[in-house]
Amino acid sequence: MDLQNFRLDRYPDGIALLTWDMPKRSMNVITADVMAELDRVIDHVAGDPALKGCVVTSGKQSFSGGADLNMLQALGRDYARLVETEGEDTAMRTFFDGSRQLSVLFRKLETSGKPWVAAINGLCLGGAFELALACHHRVMGDGDHVRVGLPEVKVGLFPGAGGTQRVSRLMQTGDALQMLFKGEQIKPALAKSMGLVHAVVSQAELVEHAKAWIRAGGKGVAPWDEKGFRPPSGKVFSPVGMMTWPAANAIYRRETQDNYPGARAILHAVYEGLQVPIDLGLKLESQYFAKVLRSPEAGAMIRSLFVSMGELNKGARRPKDVPVATLKRIGVLGAGFMGAGIGYVLAGAGLDVVLIDQSQDAAEAGKALSHKVMTEQVSRGRAKTADRDALLARITPSADYEALRGCDMVIEAVFEDRAVKAEATRKALAVVGADTIFASNTSTLPIGSLAEAWDKPANFVGVHFFSPVQKMPLVEIIKGRQTGDRAIAAAMDLVRLLKKTPILVNDARGFYANRCVFAYLLEGHKMLLEGVPPAMIDNAGRQAGMPVGPLSLTDEVAIDLCRKVMLAARHDLGETAVDPAQMDLLDAMVTQHGRLGRKNRKGFYDYPETGSKSLWPGLSDLQPNKQQADAIDVGDLKKRFLVTQAIAAAQAMADGIVTDPREADVGSIVGFGFAPFTGGTLSYIDGMGLAQFALLCDDLSRKYGDRFNPPGLVLDMARDHETFYGRFGTKAA
């Protein structure tokens, strides 16, 4: 057969081996060409009486990352074109047929009459795992890099090529729903215990084990096609079902706030699909998939969390003509919580780290964080003792700046104070010289002023890691007025080594992310002072789509740190730089009541050593007025939380702090959790329409104050019927 993306080998024992190995790609993905070739292979295997069955595996390190979402985006463009040329009915039929093409193909494989075995090496995710689920037997290689999973819900979709129907027929309903909702990558041993794969063997035995199953008489019939098949949890309308489904719906509502059509569709597809035969279940799934695929939430999430994030991770904003930096040994100044976290991720990426602090004991304490984190990983089976020992061996704690000699880059992560940072910078400069790239991890202080302590400001760049460093995937790279391309490129190269996502922003107080975050916190504090019940404030924040409410987030950031940031802004920019009522609130919390946040177990919440946190009863005394919950428009609260952050993002674009809407959107989601279903701060505005957003701003401004006045840029774009992606998408600079 003439195949470009596969190799088909036949063996004397009558077994075929189909090796998926796409040319000029590091990972296999499902494309229209792949689907067409697989369709031909299925016909060939089914129609050849000399073939007993087929094993499908990958010729690459990973099996496949799943479907190319650009292919799904193209369906939407074709739909819009057909609506104009041939009408809604024709467009919808074409869209539905196209969106279920993969599901139909996998069902064809499953019912071909010949046994198919998936030999899974490396990652096997999304549509690729749905292909494996359609096979009659699944064998998984044993290795740290081997995973299976259905992560579609994380980009606003759900498994639409049979995943919801097959998983719910393999597992107890509650377990199946949990797997589908979480979208996590599952290790081999767990996948076997869950019933997702039949065997786990060494990589060397993978294909032979798969072939042996066919030779031993493995049948080409799926369990659900056998007469008398019953799902593991039995009928939906049964005592077990009535215990499962009300709880499942409640958990869905609690976790998603009903903001995600893809997650809602999982509930529908599984609930309805389990009541009918598999073929009808697959068609029901396809109907929901087509509906979700056309939803604005899916479109926005695919663009930001798949397309844009992929482009940024591959260096879309990296200076093009600068050679890749050689980074082997990195110095970190400051072994506190942030510096220790940076040291941990650097060492985890295989880099040698020199961790500097004022004393050897302080530096050793910073290294101890890495020991603690790795020990937790070992205890959970996510790492081996040897991995921990190797990582710790790469970290050298010291109080002597001379230990920095030979470092390829130095990252400063000392206390957020100009004088302290300047002193540490000069000490490093004396050892490594001004030609070394120096990166300051600051969350608010302008890079231009900090760079004054470095003899060559062109080699000085900001790298704002988010806390906790080992968990947060975003890094803001800050370009000062004099920062050169070499420094920016080196910072980008470092972030890529760490497998984090970089966004490039221009210098300004608070940069991009913290401007939006502080707008969110301010709104929560304003609501508290308005008399909104504290529990209602945080619940409304979560209902709007934020991961935590603003009062909880203030505690996590630390109330005294928020206060220090405001004091610095007032000192540098004048009284109008801060909200006086918010300043008074934080002053009272810190100076009068000693409530610093989670770090001293006293903030807007109380944090007992055992048990759950609870709101501090004393908050009531800080509210000059009290409002009755029933009289408050929760919809307004939710809008305020999203609009205030979107205004901050739009103003950042207007001020030239962010120049690329992809970075504004991706940064807002992965940096501070801005409602992912919107696609990010600017997609939220674009999705609503600039004119509608301006009207919403005007309404909120009349009700709650001038901070909701729409930026002039928004008004100009609304007048000209523009969008952020239309105006700035091709003009990033």
Side-chain angles (χ1 to χ4, degrees), residues 221-243:
V221 181
W224 34 87
D225 288 323
E226 298 271 16
K227 186 176 181 180
F229 170 77
R230 295 287 184 272
S233 292
K235 295 181 178 179
V236 169
F237 290 98
S238 66
V240 173
M242 290 305 100
M243 291 174 63

Side-chain angles (χ1 to χ4, degrees), residues 509-539:
R509 180 178 296 275
F511 315 125
Y512 168 62
N514 278 342
R515 284 185 167 214
C516 299
V517 169
F518 274 88
Y520 177 58
L521 299 184
L522 170 62
E523 209 54 36
H525 302 160
K526 297 288 279 188
M527 290 177 185
L528 184 71
L529 295 172
E530 291 167 11
V532 178
M536 195 173 190
I537 295 170
D538 269 7
N539 285 336

Side-chain angles (χ1 to χ4, degrees), residues 530-585:
E530 291 167 11
V532 178
M536 195 173 190
I537 295 170
D538 269 7
N539 285 336
R542 292 190 65 246
Q543 289 171 16
M546 300 299 294
V548 295
L551 304 183
S552 292
L553 183 57
T554 308
D555 280 357
E556 296 293 337
V557 172
I559 301 173
D560 61 327
L561 177 58
C562 292
R563 177 174 175 269
K564 287 175 183 175
V565 169
M566 293 180 66
L567 288 172
R570 188 171 66 182
H571 177 270
D572 290 349
L573 304 176
E575 294 289 337
T576 59
V578 300
D579 184 285
Q582 183 189 28
M583 190 79 251
D584 290 344
L585 172 64

Side-chain angles (χ1 to χ4, degrees), residues 166-185:
R166 294 187 176 94
V167 166
S168 62
R169 285 165 169 78
L170 286 171
M171 302 164 61
Q172 294 286 331
T173 302
D175 295 336
L177 289 171
Q178 185 178 42
M179 175 197 166
L180 294 166
F181 282 149
K182 287 187 173 181
E184 293 178 340
Q185 297 182 16

Side-chain angles (χ1 to χ4, degrees), residues 585-653:
L585 172 64
L586 299 189
D587 276 342
M589 292 288 286
V590 173
T591 62
Q592 295 178 29
H593 301 286
R595 304 191 71 86
L596 310 183
R598 185 158 198 154
K599 65 182 181 181
N600 79 332
R601 300 186 182 278
K602 296 188 298 182
F604 289 101
Y605 288 79
D606 286 320
Y607 299 88
E609 291 193 16
T610 58
S612 302
K613 70 180 184 181
S614 59
L615 282 161
W616 175 44
L619 285 180
S620 179
D621 297 333
L622 298 179
Q623 292 183 292
N625 302 298
K626 305 287 193 303
Q627 294 190 53
Q628 293 299 313
D630 290 346
I632 297 171
D633 186 341
V634 177
D636 260 15
L637 300 184
K638 291 159 62 176
K639 290 173 187 173
R640 288 169 65 180
F641 282 135
L642 298 186
V643 169
T644 190
Q645 295 178 80
I647 287 174
Q651 191 62 56
M653 290 291 291

Side-chain angles (χ1 to χ4, degrees), residues 162 207 220 240 245 412 442 448 468 494 508 614 649 720:
V207 172
V240 173
W245 285 102
E412 170 270 302
T442 176
L494 177 69
S614 59
D720 296 336

Side-chain angles (χ1 to χ4, degrees), residues 248-455:
N249 188 57
I251 292 170
Y252 156 76
R253 295 275 173 174
R254 182 191 70 197
E255 296 299 318
T256 71
Q257 305 295 330
D258 203 26
N259 286 323
Y260 296 87
R264 189 187 316 130
I266 289 172
L267 272 182
H268 283 288
V270 174
Y271 178 76
E272 296 171 24
L274 285 176
Q275 299 179 56
V276 297
I278 183 72
D279 284 304
L280 185 51
L282 290 169
K283 191 168 186 178
L284 286 167
E285 178 192 76
S286 294
Q287 290 174 340
Y288 283 112
F289 185 72
K291 181 179 180 181
V292 168
L293 188 56
R294 290 183 58 231
S295 69
E297 292 87 351
M301 290 179 74
I302 289 171
R303 179 172 68 181
S304 291
L305 295 177
F306 176 74
V307 179
S308 294
M309 187 180 291
E311 291 168 350
L312 295 176
N313 286 340
K314 291 175 182 176
R317 299 283 281 127
R318 184 188 185 279
K320 303 300 181 187
D321 299 326
V322 181
V324 175
T326 300
L327 300 173
K328 296 181 180 179
R329 181 178 169 89
I330 309 293
V332 179
L333 311 183
F337 186 68
M338 286 300 294
I342 293 169
Y344 168 75
V345 298
L346 291 171
L351 298 167
D352 291 328
V353 180
V354 179
L355 191 58
I356 300 288
D357 212 300
Q358 291 180 318
S359 69
Q360 186 67 31
D361 286 345
E364 294 283 358
K367 181 176 179 177
L369 173 73
S370 294
H371 185 279
K372 178 176 180 291
V373 173
M374 284 301 294
T375 299
E376 291 173 354
Q377 297 290 326
V378 171
S379 67
R380 294 172 183 168
R382 296 177 180 174
K384 298 181 176 64
T385 302
D387 299 328
R388 179 186 64 192
D389 294 344
L391 184 144
L392 292 174
R394 291 192 286 271
I395 302 176
T396 302
S398 178
D400 187 358
Y401 275 70
E402 279 295 324
L404 295 173
R405 199 168 296 281
C407 284
D408 304 306
M409 178 186 287
V410 176
I411 300 174
E412 170 270 302
V414 300
F415 187 68
E416 192 78 350
D417 179 272
R418 276 199 186 87
V420 175
K421 287 181 179 292
E423 180 184 5
T425 302
R426 293 190 189 99
K427 287 182 177 180
L429 176 65
V431 176
V432 301
D435 288 333
T436 302
I437 301 299
F438 190 92
S440 176
N441 177 67
T442 176
S443 57
T444 57
L445 297 175
I447 288 298
S449 62
L450 299 179
E452 293 172 2
W454 198 253
D455 282 357

